[in-house]
Amino acid sequence: MKSIFRTISLRRQTGRRTFSETAEETYKFVRDRGLDHAVEREKNLRPLLSIKDLVTSEPSKSLPISVITTQKDSLRVPLRPIEFIRSFPSVFHEFLPGGIGIQPHISLTPETLNLDAEEQLVYVSESYKQGLADRLLKLLMINRINKIPLEILDLLKWDLGLPQGYVDTMVPEFPDYFRVIKSKLRGCSGELELVCWSKEHSVSVLEKKAKAYTKGSPIAFPMKFSNGFVVDKKMKKWIDDWQKLPYISPYENALHLSATSDESDKWAAAVLHEILNLFVSKKAEKDVILHLGEFMGLRSRFKRVLHNHPGIFYLSSKLRTHTVVLRDAYKRGVLVEGNQLVTSRNRYMKLMSKVKKDNNAVSSRKREDNKGKVEGEVCDTDAKGEDDDVSGSEVEDEREDDDVVDDEDDDDDEVDQDQSSKRGRRNSSPRAGRRSFGSQEKPHSRSRAGRRSLGKSGSQEKPRSGRNKVNLTTEKRSQMS
């Protein structure tokens, strides 16, 4: 994603040029590690909680894994269901029901059941229900027709923090805020409609933070760029001029403004900024944002805002999708203002990460044990090598003794050449036998006791001294004479 700015045609109404028109260079997209981590840490949380809700909806609090397999796409399970479930043994318990033994079933561990009970307490608490009703009311007031199809609310269910069956449980508790009506749209089961406009709730977050704000005066958006993002002079000048434009409340209808004007751009940024503030984690998938913008008639303006304002909205490409993150809602990758539901979700993530740490600890212990075994084998091999060196030196000493005997035989050979040739043949046979034996088996491969016995047997096979043989021959010659 090298270029994040689009060139827009010159506006004829005011004669001014937008920032995208003045930007001639290519601006590179720079990642924000903190915000990427905030998105990536919830990688498996959503499908895990979806499976958990499906299990708890069963009377027996358990179900076959085949049911999860058939609903894999709707549950958004990234892996094979059996592999995903086995990745979190502290959350799910796999078992074979008695008497069946065909399909494995899953249930929830006691720790997960405790967290689920705490989560349900959050949904039924009066403070959370009131805050959720206020956020739904503000979302209906932002939409110019003051109603939203239930199918779109289902897409925003995770981001808004809606409980299971909210249409039947929560909506009837606030009849002065909204109601469910039949929809005239094709394929729509119903719509959530605004009942009464609330002036108290038609104030944006930026208007509350601004000091002494009056309608029509400018409000500067908080901006923060990723480390390494270069803001040149042209960009800085356009941002300064853009911040000085009048702030139009997101609860006002400004669709009459030209879609390519800077005033409309700032109003669309205010609408998107307020919508993201209504979400529990201050972020949402880009496709969901654009789907909501298409229903509101602001899809193209939302896309332009995301492209032109990287200092307000960060676009993360983690989790094989694009997620829009509100920058001023995070500090060093951590949500500044949390709520009860975010705290509950963090506890689930802590339980999931605990399983990974335990698995890593077990694997590290196995690696250490294997490493110790290998080191022990190496030490035994070194000890054997030392013994072989000692035995080898003994064999060399024995060979030196044999060489001394050979020297004495050579002196006797000068007296009688014929007898020395015979002795040479007899003397060469034991040495040849020892050399041929040594060539068949290396000295380091024999034991010490075997080499010593071999040395002793070799010494017994040595020929008698040459001087005794000379005396016998002289006696025979004297008798013959």
Side-chain angles (χ1 to χ4, degrees), residues 25-50:
E25 300 178 358
T26 300
Y27 292 87
K28 293 183 178 180
F29 174 80
V30 180
R31 292 188 177 276
D32 192 306
R33 294 184 178 180
L35 298 181
D36 281 340
H37 176 69
V39 174
E40 195 172 14
R41 66 193 297 261
E42 298 182 1
K43 177 180 180 180
N44 296 317
L45 178 63
R46 186 169 181 178
L48 184 139
L49 294 183
S50 299

Side-chain angles (χ1 to χ4, degrees), residues 227-267:
N227 294 333
F229 187 87
V230 180
V231 180
D232 57 6
K233 294 182 180 179
K234 293 181 180 180
M235 183 176 183
K236 188 177 184 306
K237 183 179 184 306
W238 180 85
I239 291 176
D240 294 340
D241 295 340
W242 186 84
Q243 294 279 32
K244 295 177 182 179
L245 293 175
Y247 177 82
I248 303 177
S249 174
Y251 298 95
E252 297 182 13
N253 187 1
L255 289 175
H256 60 280
L257 297 174
S258 175
T260 59
S261 63
D262 288 342
E263 291 80 2
S264 174
D265 183 70
K266 189 169 185 177
W267 172 70

